[in-house]
Each structure stands twice: as structure tokens, then as C-alpha cells.
Amino acid sequence: MAQLRQISIFAENKPGKIEKITKVLADGGINILAISISSSGDFGVIKFIVDKPDEAKDLLIKNGFTVSLNEVLAIELVDKPGDLHRVAVALLRCGINIENAHVFVVNERAQSYLIVEVEDVDEAKKKLANEELRFY
Amino acid sequence: MFWDEELETISQNKLKELQLKRLRDTIGRVYFNVPFYHKKFKEINIKPDDIKSVDDISKLPFTTRQDILDNYPTGLLAVSRDEMVRVHTSSGTTGKPKAIFFTKNDIDRAADLIARCLVMTGMRKNDVLQNMMTYGLFTGALVMHYGAEKVGILIVPAGPGNTERQILLMKDFKTTALHITPSYALYLAEYIKSKGIDPTKDLYLKRAYLGAEPYSEETRRKIEDIFGIDVYNSYGLSEMNGPGVAFECEYKEGMHTWEDNFVVEVIDPDTGEVLPDGQKGELVFTTLQREGMPLIRYRTRDISRIIPERCPCGRTHRRIERIFGRSDDMFIVKGVNIFPQQIENVLMSIKGVAMNYQIVLESLDNMIVRVEIAKDLFDGNVMHLVNLQNRITEELRKEILVKPKVELLEPGTLPVSEGKAKRVIDNRTL
Ligand SMILES: [Zn+2]
């Protein structure tokens, strides 16, 4: 089964952090596919999906960032009204919290995914086995 | 094992006798040779002969830090300046330092007390001590150096800083003991971890002596665990030789105060009244053996208590408890007295927090505790960080009764300490 991994970077609420991160990734020839930010007010975590996650992680650590690379649950979305609702209902039914989630679009809108952060991706997929969902 | 078994295990009666003899001798010398004391004693109409027991010491006036400053540099000498072989200073926060002079005999006795402490904590001739304190005006490094030399220990006089080289020295000379500031020990621990060095396998360390800045019991335990060594608490201040005034034995329950060299009292810091053994108050020391610059009832501003019970190690010198706080380090937020060690204790007991931290005083009611998150425990989950922040806030509130603002920082944000750390930043304009 394919794995989708997301890079998380700790950020204090100081301006210029994203600029610094994206510069490191650009200089390293890494393509950013999606970005999202979760913030608590005082600090936040900036999240990226990139084409070469392992390389990106090493590069960021070498540049002094506090980094974590985690597998995420990626659920395919169909480009029609109500589809996100359909997925949300399935997740709720199976007891999966979508507090930390964002949408990731690939191939010029031809394909999009709902990215959900869960403690254990395999476990979540098992719970969702009977739902009509397609994963990355 | 003992360095000086006879004196270390002397009976309480004999110790009192010895103290009285030496106290009367000291008082005679300061009365006749130090104008400052002569005047002070005259003012309250006390003569050396009025001291008939050690307890009579309570009739004598205190010496304060201000007195030492006022008599800077040589006003408190009891013998000619020509007899002095060393001067150490202790940094004041503002202006002039306190100068402490030593004769040849004073240096020798200070070294002898250190020798007792080192042997008491297991050091022998074949040990190797890496002295990572600053060699210079500050007493710490040199007094320890002379004491270790007395025992016959091989000393690596590394001084602080240059961590890469420190590790090289530890490996090549098979260092068995460190003399180091607690903040540098914590930094060294993280450094060693980041280099993939396993201190229990790759190094030869057995023990460490921490000094020069206060540290919590949690920090001691943390350093013991990380390096797989014993850390012994000790107490010293430059006005009383520097390190080696009181030291833990193998039982690590309170620090034996060398009572043949010092009279230790605990007083109520507000009234100056002597408190009974066991009660917490300000430590006051009188030198009994010092020639160059004897000090009578010196107020240390350090808070502790005397443990009168006998120690199973056989030493008869009474112990003092680890210093609860230095009243100089204490600060007040929302009317509550807080010592930095209380905060350190809490932080060191929480997983997910790195070892560097800073306390920022913003106003009379507001303080910020800035902590670095532990790099290897970061999992990308912002909720986990929020939980960590809440937990630190709550644990601190329970300990200091004031709710601080807790800031989580990226590892490496705070200045690293390769020597003395500055933990409290005071931004208040009072
Ligand atoms: Zn003992």
C-alpha cells in the first residue's frame, strides 16, 4: 500500500519562518505539493507535503529546524458537491478525529485528497475498511 | 575512607573544645589587628575574654557583604599584606567585587578541606579530575585544584568551554571526575547525546562535582542518570575559601560542614536571632582557622537548616541541608517569594522539555518561563505541544503558586552556557 508522508516543522510565531523553510527546500530542489499551518496562537507547526520527503527532512534538520516526518491518512475526494461531507461522516462513524486535516490537490485538480493526521495510519485504515473510501 | 580520620570523627565534646579554643584565638586576632572589628566590638562593649563558650558567639556583631565591600580591598586583613599569597574576588552584580585574601597557611587549609571532601566522596590517587571551572579570580577552579593535588589526583586543568576538546580530553586522559557548573553539565549532556557518545561506555566518568551556580535536586538526578555517575552536592562561597565548606558524603543526605574550621549558625534573617538546629533560616559562618582575613558571623544570605542527627558515615561534623535558595536569587511575583531552583525542579521533571530554560520577569505580576522543546520528542502534532505547554504551566503553578506564561521555543534558541548560565532576566523597571 502506498504511503503518504508529511513533514512537520516547529515554528514560534515569528515572521520569516516560512520564507526560511521554503528557501531551504527550493535550494535543495524539492518540490512542495501542499502546505498547511496549525497554530496555537503562541506557536505553530508548519506542514508540507513534498516530492522527496526524506531528502527534505535531512536538509531541514541540517539547517537547524525541528522536524518530524510522519505518515498521514490520505483519503481520495471526488470533485463534486458534498463529497467532503460524505468522507467526514464516514470518519465520524468510525471514531476518527479530523481536528488536524487539510486538503491536498494533485494533478491540476484532477485528484484531491483529504489529509488527516492520526496516531496510527494502519489502525485508522482498518477502522475505515468497510467505508467506501479510497486512499492514496 | 577518610582524609583526616581523627578530625573528621572527633567527638562532639572535643569538637566544641577545639572550636572554643580557635574561636577565642580568632576573636583576639581580629580585636587587636582589624580596626573594623575593634570598633564594632567596642561599640557594643565586648572584649575577647567575654567569649566563654561557643554559644557566646551570638553576642558578637554580624559581618555583611556590605562590610566587605566598604573595606575593599585590604581593610579586613588581620596580618600584613606582605603575608598574603593570593587574592580572589567574588563578582558583585554592580560595582566593586569582594576581595578575599589568603596567606600561605590559608591556601593550605582550604586545600586540606577539599581533600577531605574528595576522599569522602571516593576520590583516590589514581583518579583523574577534569577541572572545567574558570581558572582566575573566581575561587572555584583554583581551590579545587590545590585540594585535588593534595590527594595526589591527576588534574586536567581544562577550564570551561570548547566542548569538542573537553570530550577529547575525557577520552584520552580517562577522566574519572568532573568539576563543572550545572548548566554546562546539562549542555555537555545534550552535546554528547547529539554526537552519539554513550557516556557509560565511551567515557570513564564516575562522579561529578557541581558548583558556582545553584541547581535543583532534579538536575542532580538528571546529570547522574545521563552520565551514569554520582553527583555530590556541596556548599561553598568565596568569603569562606570557596568550595569545600560543606560537602555530601556517600550517603548524600545533607552536607557535612567542617566545624573545626567554621562555626555555623542559622539565624532568622529578619531579626538576626539564632534559630535552633533543624529550623530553616540564613546560614552564618565564622572562620576558625583563617589567618589573612578572618570573618566573624558572616551573613551568607543562603537559606538552609542544620541537620543535628549523627550521620552513618561516622563523621561527627553536623550537616546542613542543600541550600533552599540564595536570597539574592529569590524574586517576587504577585507577592510570592520564588527561587529559580523551584522552577528548574519542575522543568527537569517533565518529559519533552530540553535542558535549557530562562525566566523573564516582566512586571510585578507577570513572569515568563521560556523553555526549549526536546528535539527528538517533536512529533509534528500541535495538540501535543499545547498539552505540554499546559502541563508545564500547571506544574509550575502548583510549585510556585503563581501562574507563569510558558513559552515553548525551538531547541537552540536560548543562549547556551559554557560556564555560568544567566537564568533570570529582569525586565522590570521599578
Ligand atoms: Zn556522612
Side-chain angles (χ1 to χ4, degrees), chain A residues 8-10 12 17 38 40 42-45 47 64-68 70 99-100 117 119, chain B residues 370 373-375 378-386 389 405-411 413:
Chain A
S8 304
I9 301 152
F10 179 77
E12 296 152 39
K17 191 84 179 187
S38 34
S40 81
D42 292 339
F43 53 81
V45 177
K47 291 151 187 196
F65 292 97
T66 304
V67 183
S68 170
N70 307 87
E99 201 160 340
N100 286 309
E117 289 172 34
E119 298 276 341
Chain B
R370 314 180 76 203
I373 60 169
K375 217 167 195 136
F378 174 69
D379 64 359
N381 189 321
V382 81
M383 276 320 290
H384 291 173
L385 292 172
V386 172
Q389 187 185 30
K405 177 170 162 49
V406 171
E407 280 181 8
L408 298 186
L409 305 178
E410 173 130 34
T413 317

Side-chain angles (χ1 to χ4, degrees), chain B residues 33-65:
Chain B
N33 301 339
V34 185
F36 165 80
Y37 280 119
H38 189 82
K39 186 166 162 271
K40 267 204 154 182
F41 285 25
K42 271 258 155 112
E43 272 167 18
I44 50 169
N45 204 20
I46 289 261
K47 290 204 178 60
D49 281 348
D50 296 334
I51 303 303
K52 303 224 179 318
S53 73
V54 176
D55 291 341
D56 284 342
I57 198 170
S58 63
K59 296 176 182 166
L60 299 175
F62 292 114
T63 308
T64 64
R65 158 187 317 211

Side-chain angles (χ1 to χ4, degrees), chain A residues 19-90:
Chain A
E19 187 273 322
K20 285 197 190 92
I21 296 167
T22 49
K23 179 166 191 331
V24 168
L25 294 178
D27 290 350
I30 284 161
N31 195 9
I32 299 170
L33 307 174
I35 175 171
S36 92
I37 299 171
S38 34
S39 169
S40 81
D42 292 339
F43 53 81
V45 177
I46 305 171
K47 291 151 187 196
F48 291 99
I49 290 181
V50 297
D51 58 347
K52 290 172 274 186
D54 290 308
E55 266 177 53
K57 182 185 175 188
D58 290 347
L59 258 177
L60 288 164
I61 288 177
K62 219 164 60 196
N63 281 278
F65 292 97
T66 304
V67 183
S68 170
L69 181 59
N70 307 87
E71 193 187 352
V72 285
L73 185 66
I75 304 162
E76 196 175 297
L77 294 173
V78 186
D79 192 8
K80 66 174 189 203
D83 199 55
L84 185 55
H85 178 66
R86 172 187 70 89
V87 172
V89 168

Side-chain angles (χ1 to χ4, degrees), chain B residues 394-406:
Chain B
E394 182 51 23
E395 297 283 324
L396 284 172
R397 193 199 55 77
K398 271 195 272 178
E399 171 65 31
I400 60 178
L401 309 174
V402 169
K403 191 169 164 183
K405 177 170 162 49
V406 171

Side-chain angles (χ1 to χ4, degrees), chain B residues 120 248-251 254 256 311-315 319:
Chain B
M120 173 164 74
E248 274 182 344
C249 63
E250 73 236 60
Y251 291 95
H256 290 286
C311 181
C313 76
R315 288 175 184 82
R319 289 163 293 163

Side-chain angles (χ1 to χ4, degrees), chain B residues 269-292:
Chain B
D270 296 324
T271 64
E273 219 162 297
V274 178
L275 298 173
D277 281 4
Q279 271 193 42
K280 206 189 264 179
E282 179 181 345
L283 289 171
V284 170
F285 283 96
T286 300
T287 62
L288 291 177
Q289 286 274 73
R290 198 187 263 168
E291 292 177 343

Side-chain angles (χ1 to χ4, degrees), chain B residues 335-350:
Chain B
V336 180
N337 295 348
I338 301 168
F339 289 99
Q341 291 103 298
Q342 291 177 279
I343 290 172
E344 181 173 314
N345 240 333
V346 169
L347 296 180
M348 292 297 153
S349 67
I350 295 177

Side-chain angles (χ1 to χ4, degrees), chain B residues 117-226:
Chain B
C117 302
L118 293 176
V119 170
M120 173 164 74
T121 51
M123 295 284 277
R124 301 291 180 264
K125 259 178 77 72
N126 58 352
D127 275 296
V128 180
L129 175 74
Q130 193 156 326
N131 197 353
M132 294 159 77
M133 295 291 189
T134 307
Y135 278 82
L137 283 168
F138 167 67
T139 50
L142 276 166
V143 172
M144 180 62 99
H145 184 105
Y146 276 61
E149 206 166 78
K150 217 164 201 198
V151 180
I153 291 161
L154 172 63
I155 303 156
V156 184
N162 198 341
T163 307
E164 197 61 49
R165 191 190 61 188
Q166 299 280 7
I167 293 168
L168 181 96
L169 296 171
M170 279 182 219
K171 283 183 173 165
D172 291 352
F173 298 130
K174 299 190 164 55
T175 300
T176 59
L178 302 179
H179 184 213
I180 187 170
T181 63
S183 56
Y184 191 28
L186 291 173
Y187 173 73
L188 184 67
E190 297 221 322
Y191 190 88
I192 280 178
K193 206 160 75 177
S194 75
K195 296 278 159 176
I197 297 168
D198 178 352
T200 59
K201 289 204 192 80
D202 305 329
L203 302 175
Y204 307 85
L205 297 176
K206 287 188 213 142
R207 53 189 77 84
Y209 303 100
L210 308 182
E213 58 195 18
Y215 59 96
S216 67
E217 200 55 31
E218 281 295 335
T219 300
R220 183 232 294 249
R221 258 179 248 128
K222 206 155 192 168
I223 294 170
E224 286 189 323
D225 287 349
I226 292 169

